[in-house]
Amino acid sequence: MATLLVDKKDQLFVLKEMLNIEKLCKFPQFEDHTEFDMVLSEAHRFAKSEFYPTAEEGNTKGCIFDPKTNTVKFPECYRKPYEKFREGGWLSMCDSPESGGDGFPLTIGTAVSELFYAAGFYIYGTAELSHAGAKVIEKYGTDAQKALYMTRLFSGEWMGTMCLTEPDAGSDVGQIQTTAVEEPDGSYCLTGTKIFISAGEHDLTKNIIHMVLARIDGDPPGTKGLSLFIVPKFKTDNDGQIEERNDVVCTGIEKKMGLHGFVTCTMSFGDKGQCTGYLLGKRGNGITEMFNMMNEQRLLVGLQGLSYSSAAFLHAVDYTQTRKQGQSVDPEKKDIGGRVPIIEHPDIKRMLLTMKSQVDGGRALAYYTSFSMDMACVSTGKEKAKWQGITELLTPIVKAYLTNNSWEMTGMAIQCAGGYGYCSEYPFERLARDCKVSSLYEGTNGIQAMDLVFRKLIGNNCKNFAELLKQIETTIQVAHQIEAIKPYAVTIGSLKDELAKLLDQFITEKKLGDTLSLYAKATPFLEAMGDVLLGWLHLWQMTIAYEKLQAFGGEETILKSTRNKKDEAFYFGKLNCAKFYIDTLLKVTKGKIDALTVAQTPITKSFNNSFTG
């Protein structure tokens, strides 16, 4: 079943043939890690045998809230897989040995995470929040906080949460009303309500550590007055032995469209005036500290969106190969008679190719971003700054582009399966319901687009964008040397230039004060930029696949003999997928860019009249 979740062969292609991940092992930080194939194989085995069997029960039984005790029960089937997950050290595989991790590159960790999200998001998504909490304590915590909380979060002994959102303060974080009053012993008493808190209450671990954004009494309004606090569900001694329940309770869980096996809670802090929290880092530095968690989660949420698209695509391929309906419309097969598998129908092939191109391109984008983080880790000086800049630039695109696509791709998979795709006996409708929230949380995709345009591009004077363009240009130059794929290089080069020209226009509009129009254009611009980036990555893959096919005898030779030759068929598929994306889907992107060159005059202060007449 793991093969219907993530294509391992494509994972290895991106890791080894595109990114050449082995070169990271030449650096001291990663010199002990070379067995990436073995790690990935074990991850596939674990995902298939432990995580995936919990998906259906998690979806149908869901999480149960008991209003009498204010507790939440996870499905019982989660327990053993989670304990095995903990024992395997999967959660901290990319963290330093000093923190209890294995020190693997983030790039290989990203490949493992994609697989675990696809197989068992309900468990893995819960656990990953603990990792984000551990990382922020690692960076800002005291030695005592690290010893008590960080180590147990990294190991998965305890789980963690991220508590930002309030009933009147969603994306507008500066409006947070939760307050903290300092106690004589240096701790703080917190009072307030948080909503949509993932894994805020459950029975999978003995303790839950909440990372809570609050305003210390007397501090200024807005984001500058916020601080970050560690608030445990149970108070403990310095050795982690539980002593008493803290004054923090779950007052209800959200009834959601999807993710029924993944709990989100309304949390009340200090109803009895006895909620104890501990300041993390510096007073008033909470928003900076919290965004360390947010940025990690944004990349992971993008990966989550990719995992849904991948599973939907592979299940669609499997279904369309076995479902027989209608006769072939191929003139060469029309006289065969009888019903054919629906994968033979051109419209189905079009949808499958669309899904494959988005999944393959999205995987390359996510892995390349993690590779940029690894390169920043092993580099120094200007080289380090370059890779950090590319990572910052790509983060909102990974989050928004891949999650927007997941909604479209899971819907397309339903379409491939017809009426059965809409029924719960197949996984398509669950994947569609589950994926939608990924475009909403950790900052809605509209916020990601505004962050991209105003901070990561214009606010950065396009320095990081210029570095990314150099990377793209390198691929274009390589492709120009191969006559058969030169036309595709020309297409990518043209779109790259048009995207840069459009950004120059945006900068001019900003200088002229036309920011209202830019806010409206941010989301379609992110979409267009994501399209172009996938085009670049497909071109990169095309250069590799073409050379491989030549070694096998060329496309015509392969076309006659791929049926039983998996390697040849794989590269043939990569080449044709890239051609389809650049020749077909990317043609639409030219129109998207053209549309953004037009001033959006209806987006004015009186725009509401357009709805009311």
Side-chain angles (χ1 to χ4, degrees), residues 58-59 62-63 121-122 198 254 256-264 304 308 430 433-438 441:
N59 175 54
C63 304
F121 172 79
Y122 302 150
S198 298
E254 277 74 42
K256 307 183 296 296
M257 167 182 165
L259 292 186
H260 297 155
F262 180 79
V263 68
T264 45
Q304 178 189 341
Y308 290 126
R430 171 178 62 81
R433 287 187 291 103
D434 284 358
C435 86
K436 182 53 194 167
V437 74
S438 63
Y441 57 22

Side-chain angles (χ1 to χ4, degrees), residues 72-74 126 159 199-205 207-208 233 263:
V72 174
K73 285 187 68 66
F74 271 156
T126 300
M159 281 195 182
E201 170 62 27
H202 57 78
D203 58 348
L204 205 55
T205 55
N207 208 354
I208 300 173
K233 174 181 176 179
V263 68

Side-chain angles (χ1 to χ4, degrees), residues 467-484:
E467 289 292 348
L468 184 60
L469 290 185
K470 290 178 184 178
Q471 302 288 313
I472 297 173
E473 185 59 34
T474 297
T475 303
I476 291 172
Q477 292 304 317
V478 171
H480 263 288
Q481 304 306 311
I482 305 172
E483 196 62 32

